[in-house]
Amino acid sequence: MMTDNENNQITEQANTTSTRRAFLKSSGLTFGGIAIGATFGGLLGNLKGGDVQTEQAPPPPVAEVANPNVALMFFNPEEYQTTNVAVERIFPEDENGPGAMELNAAIYIDHQLASQWGVNARDYRLGPFYNPEPTQGEQIKLLRQDLFRLGLKRLDNYSNENYERQFIDLEAGEQDEVLVAFEKGEAGSISGVSTAEFFKLLRQLTLEGVYADPMYGGNKEMLGWEMRKYPGTRMGYVNEIQKKDFVELEPNSLQSHMGHS
């Protein structure tokens, strides 16, 4: 025989079940023992020729994907602006195509200086430091990133000394005059190092930024390669070399090889 407590529990369960059934009836359908919401119920109504119509939300707009490589890792904004102006004077825009600024050469330089290469990680650094012969490489104590950063400061100091303006505020012709003075080593020194060493580094990195694979931050959209009709990195040219006529190929970056087995 059930106690009063057991009777009360059964009554509560029955009331709960009744309440749930009422909720399902009012909010949707029950189909084959499965609760079906109002949206799916409306869909079934449409399939059966019912009057219930449901509006589909428009797809969200496709967001433009930014290039993650275009981000500063070493420069501060002022150094980046000065570098941008300097590389454009070395490789300016002309009728053949964009200049180093549009090709993101300064971004390439920023990433290289932020890397192990920028701190001469693989170079012998214990001296002695002799004056190198013309056939030898650099023999300086400064790290590359320090030489570049100090070189940018010297660009501004030399411009102020001779034109009373910062380098980026000079006219294009005046900027060229400053860079020529640096190239010839006539713009003073950078912690005991000739400005010619800074210019050589600046020019080298500018050209690398124009023509290196886009994965390193420069050569935006492979436009540098397009100007040279360079096909980029390809797995092979078996099909092309068998043709009699010259085959002009669209450039491929290293990213294009992703997915190859």
Side-chain angles (χ1 to χ4, degrees), residues 111-238:
H111 292 190
Q112 292 301 303
L113 294 176
S115 71
Q116 292 296 299
W117 181 85
V119 294
N120 302 66
R122 297 186 179 183
D123 296 351
Y124 180 80
R125 302 293 302 161
L126 298 181
F129 296 93
Y130 296 110
N131 291 327
E133 297 295 330
T135 56
Q136 295 177 315
E138 60 187 27
Q139 300 280 328
I140 59 178
K141 297 181 181 180
L142 288 177
L143 300 177
R144 293 186 183 99
Q145 60 177 213
D146 292 337
L147 173 60
F148 204 95
R149 177 160 276 162
L150 292 172
L152 293 177
K153 291 182 179 179
R154 184 59 192 151
L155 273 179
D156 279 335
N157 290 339
Y158 184 84
S159 299
N160 280 314
E161 292 167 5
N162 291 272
Y163 302 94
E164 299 183 349
R165 282 168 290 164
Q166 298 284 87
F167 179 75
I168 62 174
D169 297 326
L170 300 179
E171 299 293 333
E174 295 171 334
Q175 291 170 348
D176 290 345
E177 292 173 0
V178 171
L179 291 175
V180 168
F182 269 68
E183 182 181 17
K184 294 180 178 180
E186 299 174 351
S189 66
I190 304 169
S191 293
V193 178
S194 171
T195 55
E197 289 292 338
F198 167 71
F199 179 84
K200 182 167 64 175
L201 181 63
L202 171 64
R203 182 180 183 277
Q204 171 192 334
L205 291 175
T206 299
L207 296 179
E208 289 179 7
V210 168
Y211 294 120
D213 192 278
M215 70 171 290
Y216 298 107
N219 191 11
K220 179 183 177 182
E221 299 176 1
M222 298 179 286
L223 295 175
W225 288 348
E226 284 188 11
M227 287 189 288
R228 292 285 183 174
K229 305 299 181 183
Y230 176 64
T233 60
R234 291 181 176 271
M235 305 299 287
Y237 299 90
V238 176

Side-chain angles (χ1 to χ4, degrees), residues 12-13 18 23-24 27-28 31 85 91 93 96 100-101 106 112 129 147 169 173 178 208-209 217 230-231 240 250 261:
E12 290 177 0
Q13 291 176 357
S18 177
F23 172 76
L24 291 174
S27 62
F31 183 79
V85 172
F91 193 95
E93 178 184 7
N96 296 313
M101 182 182 295
Q112 292 301 303
F129 296 93
L147 173 60
D169 297 326
V178 171
E208 289 179 7
Y230 176 64
E240 288 78 13
E250 293 294 328
S261 57

